[in-house]
């Protein structure tokens, strides 16, 4: 039916916006980690983890995927901070 289709379109648009914002945030953190910039990475870590949690809560990504991404980023952050 028409109502269901427009609802799906709206949900898809929202999910795409959420994932796009999330990907941008994760890229910023990953680039800081690759450069070895521990200070910038620490500053970006909290908002990035928050963005991952928000996307998982809204259903844009699976909660396990969010958790896995956070874990991998945290390990890289700890490795960069230790140097």
């Amino acid at each position: 039916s028409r109502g269901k289709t427009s609802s799906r379109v709206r949900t898809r648009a929202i999910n795409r916006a959420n994932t796009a914002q999330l990907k941008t945030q994760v890229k910023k953190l990953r680039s800081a980690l690759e450069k070895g910039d521990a200070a910038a990475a620490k500053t970006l870590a909290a908002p990035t983890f928050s963005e991952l949690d928000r996307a998982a809560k809204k259903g844009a990504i699976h909660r396990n995927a969010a958790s896995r991404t956070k874990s991998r980023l945290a390990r890289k952050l700890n490795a960069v901070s230790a140097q």
Side-chain angles (χ1 to χ4, degrees):
S1 75
R2 182 152 173 77
K4 213 173 224 179
T5 303
S6 64
S7 172
R8 271 193 227 121
V9 170
R10 185 169 53 250
T11 302
R12 183 163 181 254
I14 291 167
N15 282 345
R16 284 173 60 122
N18 286 336
T19 50
Q21 188 175 354
L22 171 65
K23 285 178 182 180
T24 303
Q25 191 69 33
V26 170
K27 276 185 211 169
K28 285 180 187 175
L29 178 55
R30 283 195 176 131
S31 69
L33 290 169
E34 285 174 16
K35 289 176 188 170
D37 190 353
K42 282 183 182 177
T43 306
L44 290 167
T48 303
F49 292 167
S50 175
E51 199 69 44
L52 281 159
D53 289 333
R54 188 176 301 120
K57 184 178 178 184
K58 291 182 177 183
I61 62 170
H62 196 277
R63 62 190 167 109
N64 290 357
S67 183
R68 182 175 62 244
T69 305
K70 282 168 45 179
S71 175
R72 289 175 180 171
L73 289 170
R75 279 194 318 216
K76 288 178 184 174
L77 179 61
N78 290 338
V80 168
S81 298
Q83 291 176 351

